[in-house]
Amino acid sequence: MKNRHPISAWPRLMKAFEAARYIGTSETTLRRLVAEGAVAQPLKRGGERVWDIRDLDEHVESLPRVGEPANDDWKGQAL
């Protein structure tokens, strides 16, 4: 029998406070990451803005590990 992934306790679509909590940050930081393009823009559901868990997972998976070189667009550019 194949190992199956357990069903996530997190909803597929999340409001800002849930999305921020999911990736371990504040709503302010989530909004900054979105503005910088590091996290995908939210989806529109009626009058709400919601984040897809897959987009949040993609952001987390793109983060460099400690000791590994960062893969970012700022490399070699002056601040």
Side-chain angles (χ1 to χ4, degrees):
M1 179 182 279
K2 292 184 179 181
N3 290 336
R4 295 183 184 199
H5 296 287
I7 296 174
S8 174
W10 292 92
R12 169 77 186 272
L13 300 176
M14 296 178 238
K15 293 182 182 181
F17 74 92
E18 294 170 307
R21 191 166 158 226
Y22 180 74
I23 63 171
T25 193
S26 67
E27 285 184 61
T28 301
T29 300
L30 172 66
R31 293 180 196 286
R32 180 180 52 79
L33 291 169
V34 170
E36 293 172 351
V39 174
Q41 291 286 330
L43 305 170
K44 290 182 181 181
R45 180 175 62 187
E48 296 179 308
R49 292 180 181 196
V50 292
W51 278 262
D52 187 319
I53 196 170
R54 295 178 300 180
D55 292 333
L56 299 172
D57 286 341
E58 184 177 314
H59 165 69
V60 172
E61 290 167 6
S62 75
L63 297 173
R65 294 201 175 269
V66 174
E68 291 181 1
N71 184 16
D72 60 13
D73 296 335
W74 294 98
K75 187 174 182 178
Q77 295 184 17
L79 295 177

